[in-house]
Amino acid sequence: MVKQGAFRYRVWLGLLGCSLTFAALAAEQGSSPVEMYRYINDKGITVIDRLGVPPQYIGKGYEVLNEQGRVIRVVPPAPTAEEIEKRKAATAQANSDAQLLRLYTSVEDVDRARERKLSELDGLTSVARSNLQSVKTQQANLQSQAADQERAGRQVPEHLIDQLNMLKTEEKRLQQDLQHYQQLRTKANATFDADRARLVQLLGDSPTP
């Protein structure tokens, strides 16, 4: 009888402990703030939902309300593709401006850099033109020798023909170099013009003549 009574007492204690645990959990849940979510569905209707915002509407942004209906948090809409591109462009412009300010402290710095670059390209152009003139002179001499051989009724030597072909190849390369230098000069002028104009905006200076 004593053992049976002790067993019943332990069972009663166990049930009491479970009841207290469930009561504590219920009280904790009851005390947590109630949140509601307000969003606009695909029909343009404002919806207030206690369960949350459906995934297809999250990107459009929504508001979180308390149990009194006051807004306690606003989740903005996700940026559009156009907005993302604008942000990228703004970031790229900011990086470019920072680089420009590291390179130049004044508009005059841009002008001096332009002069150095154009002088360098003009030097390369001058060398290429001089080489081209030398090649043309050599071609004229060799062609004269070849003509002399033909007038004398002799076959033009193979080495003379090879030299003429090599000079033609060199002439073509030098012509391409001259065209390339001209393109670089035009591009450099455009780049320095853009850098100068942007620096004027960043520094608030008046462009010097």
Side-chain angles (χ1 to χ4, degrees):
M1 292 292 294
V2 175
K3 291 182 178 180
Q4 187 175 5
F7 174 75
R8 289 177 179 176
Y9 179 71
R10 287 196 297 271
V11 171
W12 178 80
L13 284 178
L15 292 174
L16 178 62
C18 290
S19 298
L20 290 174
T21 301
F22 287 135
L25 289 173
E28 183 179 351
Q29 293 176 353
S31 63
S32 61
V34 175
E35 289 187 348
M36 296 175 289
Y37 303 89
R38 181 164 62 194
Y39 62 92
I40 298 176
N41 64 16
D42 54 358
K43 297 180 180 179
I45 299 174
T46 299
V47 179
I48 297 178
D49 197 330
R50 290 178 178 271
L51 300 180
V53 182
Q56 64 268 32
Y57 303 128
I58 290 178
K60 297 180 180 179
Y62 58 92
E63 297 173 330
V64 181
L65 315 177
N66 61 15
E67 55 188 353
Q68 283 80 36
R70 295 196 181 100
V71 177
I72 59 175
R73 190 165 69 256
V74 176
V75 178
T80 64
E82 182 180 359
E83 290 171 339
I84 292 174
E85 289 303 315
K86 286 183 178 179
R87 291 179 186 178
K88 287 181 179 179
T91 300
Q93 184 63 61
N95 292 336
S96 177
D97 290 345
Q99 177 67 19
L100 191 65
L101 291 172
R102 283 194 293 269
L103 286 173
Y104 310 113
T105 58
S106 68
V107 173
E108 289 74 18
D109 287 345
V110 180
D111 295 336
R112 284 190 287 268
R114 184 205 301 264
E115 290 176 4
R116 289 194 298 270
K117 185 62 177 178
L118 296 184
S119 178
E120 175 189 344
L121 291 172
D122 288 345
L124 293 172
T125 300
S126 179
V127 171
R129 283 176 177 166
S130 177
N131 291 338
L132 181 60
Q133 184 60 45
S134 176
V135 166
K136 288 183 176 180
T137 299
Q138 293 178 58
Q139 279 181 319
N141 291 335
L142 292 177
Q143 286 170 350
S144 178
Q145 295 177 31
D148 289 342
Q149 295 290 332
E150 290 176 343
R151 280 194 295 269
R154 293 189 292 268
Q155 186 175 0
V156 178
E158 192 68 27
H159 72 276
L160 196 58
I161 297 175
D162 290 341
Q163 287 178 332
L164 282 169
N165 290 334
M166 289 177 60
L167 288 172
K168 287 180 181 179
T169 301
E170 182 65 8
E171 180 185 7
K172 182 178 180 181
R173 185 187 68 79
L174 289 169
Q175 292 284 11
Q176 291 174 342
D177 286 348
L178 286 172
Q179 185 179 7
H180 179 60
Y181 295 147
Q182 183 57 45
Q183 290 172 347
L184 289 178
R185 201 178 196 284
T186 301
K187 183 178 179 180
N189 259 324
T191 299
F192 284 114
D193 283 343
D195 287 349
R196 194 178 195 278
R198 184 58 181 168
L199 197 64
V200 167
Q201 293 178 347
L202 294 174
L203 299 179
D205 292 341
S206 297
T208 56

